[in-house]
Amino acid sequence: MSGFKRIIIVDWSASKVPSPKKPSPDAIWMAVHRAGATTCTYHRTRSDVIEALCAQFDEAIAQDERVLAGFDFPFGYPVGFARAVTGRDDPLALWADLAARIEDGADNANNRFDVARDLNGLFPGVGPFWGCPAPLADDNLPAKGTSRHGHGMAERRKVEDLIRSAQPCWKLYTTGSVGSQALLGIARLERLRARYGAALSVAPFQASDTPIVLAEVYPSLLAHEVAARQAKDEIKDCAQVRVLAEAFAGLSADHLDAMLREGDAEEGWILGLGHIDALSAGLERYPPPLKNDCFALPQGVNWTPVEDALADLRSRLGPVVGVETVPVTDALGRVLASDVDAVRAHPPLPNTAVDGYGFGGGRGSGVHRLPLVAAQMTAGRAPDMTVPEGHAIRILTGAALPDGVDTVVLQEDVSREGGAIAFHGPIKQGANARAAGEDVRAGDCIAGAGRRLTPSDLGLLTAVGVGTVQVRAPLRVGVLSTGDELVEAGGTAGPGQIYDANRPMLLGLITQLGHVAVDFGRVRDDRAALSACLDVGANEADVILTSGGASAGDEDHVSALLNEAGAMALWRIAIKPGRPLALGMWQGTPVFGLPGNPVAAMACTLVFAAPALAQMAGAGWSEPQGFDVPAGFEKRKKAGRREYLRARIRDGRVQVFPSEGSGRISGLSWAEGLVELPDDALHVRPGDPVRYIPWTGFGV
């Protein structure tokens, strides 16, 4: 078995607390190379990266893709250590032992020093583990390596003798403490072995012929290549895992398989050692992107996938509006703040569904004649009488059934002769009658909290006796345009100026989404003016949408101000159109910094703002409702970004607007929805199913 479809490289950390929220060095970074593209992600805890790894493994298994996952900590120890601890030379028996000893919490709190102290107790003398905070040092775990003696273990593995810059696996504290990384990392990987069973193997301890292969790597192996390929603002740890993933991906399947078979079966091995020239040659397949390709994703930048951005928004946001009580007649379009129960049943009493004659019980075949009582039941009359057995009563649609009546025969099927009726059977008992509460029973929940009330809902609420409801106050959404180039609609546009199309478009969109749109006008490219405008917006609106200024240029003040406020949550979303999307907070008020191009502003509002606004309004997270339609177009798409194309359906196939330029606002008027293309590379041919989301699918 050969041919890895995914190469994953993880830069590990033994930190005892979560890493900073802002992507930082000396933390956990993961690179995933697939389909010719590499994505780097930052993880604050070991639990977080393991969860991300499992998601990759599960997806790969489902798609029948092999995975090579490399980790930058020792997989083994010098010869003799496994036997001293477990009584066997098997390194994987040692893995199981360490996993049973290590406690590593979701917040990175762990007991690695206690475990090392206990392990040292299995050896004569002092050691081999060393290094810990001074208050934790004792005779079994010294703070300095020079305090060890007589433990009988080699200081370095064979592979570390070949890479002198590699730290020994006994060192637990301060710079280069790979010993702590190994204790915590091996315990985590052993749990992966338990989860994936025979689908996972560990090189070089096992044959690497499984769907998932784990291997030890050393990111500094290609230090020269990393230095040459590191982007200007790229964190070195990120560059290391990215470059190493691409180097392994550039090898032939046979070469990589041969490398996985190398190394010591007890001590382990660093994958790629001795093959630096081949790894460097493999990198030639992945040159840096052209500087003039504005649509290329810069290598090594922590681009946030759409799904991750949406999940982050969903976890951060909740209802931000108050609650009030209003009459049902005034509740159209409002969001329920609490469940509503039926005050009474519907129908409240058994009644007839037709005009006809009512009697008790069904009737078999043949002609039936029943005398009529001298009364008539009409809608609204109280059922204050009893119809004797063998008699019938004239009854009109909607009338309650009096005692003695449970069946109705249509008047069209009856002949009336004086004071009696005749009709042909058979007729089943209960025919043409409605049971009390067959639609809704008293006390049933008929509308849940978070529902935006429709005209049909108002009818139902009224029918079951509900007069008032608790609803959320309307969400106030401020809309602000930024840029010196903007001119108000109907004004005079000078050279280099454009009309502010985004603001009326977004105000209308917010209104159609069911919120109160607040027009904050335009603000020039001036940081102080924008800051003042945001101050006003934070007081007058529950959330603010800006357009323009969300990228990283000299005049992109929205993202700059949110960064200065320390409240920038996400940006550089892997989406097209709409790459420069700023998401942050200003004085406690959420701010969506939308791109300035109209198409990108519209797409980002529908994809990100619409579900977030629904959640803040108390209506819960809204997933866009789309469906698969045969493509009426052809398109080749690169991996790395989710793409949305302006589209409409004609003759049973979905068409897309001829130009993908995010400034082509005419395409929005032409379109009736969007085609959503996934993050992976794709070649769409006419007739292929693609996901089409009409405007109504976004709630518009």
Side-chain angles (χ1 to χ4, degrees), residues 496-697:
Q497 292 185 310
I498 59 173
Y499 292 106
D500 181 9
N502 282 352
R503 207 167 87 252
M505 177 182 71
L506 294 175
L507 289 167
L509 188 58
I510 295 305
T511 301
Q512 284 198 327
L513 289 171
H515 312 298
V516 176
V518 183
D519 188 354
F520 287 148
R522 296 174 290 111
V523 64
R524 64 187 185 277
D525 286 324
D526 178 272
R527 195 161 300 188
L530 175 59
S531 178
C533 196
L534 290 174
D535 288 343
V536 173
N539 289 325
E540 297 184 3
D542 302 305
V543 60
I544 303 169
L545 267 62
T546 69
S547 63
S551 189
D554 294 341
E555 298 298 330
D556 289 321
H557 300 301
V558 173
S559 54
L561 282 174
L562 292 175
N563 269 322
E564 288 176 5
M568 176 73 84
L570 299 166
W571 75 305
R572 292 177 175 171
I573 310 298
I575 183 176
K576 177 183 177 182
R579 182 170 68 180
L581 173 65
L583 307 172
M585 302 289 287
W586 188 265
Q587 297 183 10
T589 299
V591 178
F592 288 77
L594 302 171
N597 285 322
V599 178
M602 178 78 154
C604 288
T605 300
L606 294 174
V607 174
F608 296 104
L613 294 177
Q615 184 141 305
M616 287 187 281
W621 190 263
S622 60
E623 298 284 350
Q625 301 300 306
F627 47 89
D628 287 348
V629 181
F633 62 95
E634 182 173 8
K635 175 179 170 60
R636 292 183 182 271
K637 175 191 172 296
K638 296 179 181 179
R641 280 200 285 180
R642 183 83 52 90
E643 293 192 16
Y644 293 88
L645 310 177
R646 287 151 284 176
R648 65 186 185 187
I649 294 178
R650 293 292 184 272
D651 299 323
R653 294 198 171 201
V654 62
Q655 304 174 351
V656 296
F657 192 63
S659 170
E660 295 182 18
S662 58
R664 297 289 187 93
I665 194 170
S666 63
L668 292 175
S669 180
W670 174 92
E672 296 166 358
L674 298 175
V675 161
E676 180 185 58
L677 298 180
D679 301 3
D680 299 333
L682 189 67
H683 182 190
V684 179
R685 299 174 178 86
D688 288 349
V690 293
R691 187 169 189 246
Y692 172 69
I693 309 173
W695 298 138
T696 54

Side-chain angles (χ1 to χ4, degrees), residues 195-265:
R195 173 170 175 165
Y196 291 99
L200 182 149
S201 62
V202 181
F205 306 142
Q206 297 173 302
S208 303
D209 56 359
T210 53
I212 303 169
V213 179
L214 309 185
E216 178 184 340
V217 298
Y218 186 57
S220 295
L221 198 65
L222 297 178
H224 177 74
E225 293 286 357
V226 171
R229 292 169 174 269
Q230 184 176 357
K232 179 180 178 181
D233 298 321
E234 187 178 18
I235 292 172
K236 182 179 179 181
D237 309 64
C238 178
Q240 285 181 324
V241 294
R242 173 180 60 78
V243 170
L244 196 55
E246 291 172 350
F248 284 125
L251 296 173
S252 69
D254 290 343
H255 196 158
L256 187 51
D257 284 348
M259 287 168 50
L260 286 166
R261 292 191 293 269
E262 297 175 346
D264 190 286

